[in-house]
Amino acid sequence: MGRPLAERLWEKVDRSAGPNGCWPWTGNRNAQGYGRVHVGHKDRPAHVVAWELANGPMPAGLWVLHHCDNPPCCNPV
């Protein structure tokens, strides 16, 4: 069995800016600069997975936006 999703996700996030700072994804990114993490049999946006790990399943119609407006940011605050 593989490592837990939270462990795999957070090891690739630079959280050195502190709790309210920008937490850039350091792993693979798509062409638009968003982080990608493999979940199940597909890749998902890292910032969305980070938000769901912190807050639970995303309600239909909700979008995860970055306070810092930096596409690789994964801070769920």
Side-chain angles (χ1 to χ4, degrees):
M1 185 168 172
R3 294 181 305 134
L5 175 59
E7 182 180 317
R8 292 187 296 114
L9 177 105
W10 295 120
E11 75 181 8
K12 291 189 175 112
V13 176
D14 176 2
R15 296 181 275 182
S16 62
N20 295 313
C22 180
W23 294 0
W25 176 255
T26 64
N28 291 331
R29 297 180 188 175
N30 67 14
Q32 293 77 34
Y34 291 93
R36 305 300 295 171
V37 62
H38 198 73
V39 180
H41 296 287
K42 64 179 184 174
D43 283 341
R44 295 195 56 218
H47 67 288
V48 172
V49 174
W51 190 93
E52 289 179 335
L53 287 170
N55 300 290
M58 186 172 310
L62 185 69
W63 291 85
V64 176
L65 302 176
H66 309 270
H67 286 282
C68 59
D69 203 26
N70 184 19
C73 182
C74 290
N75 190 339
V77 181

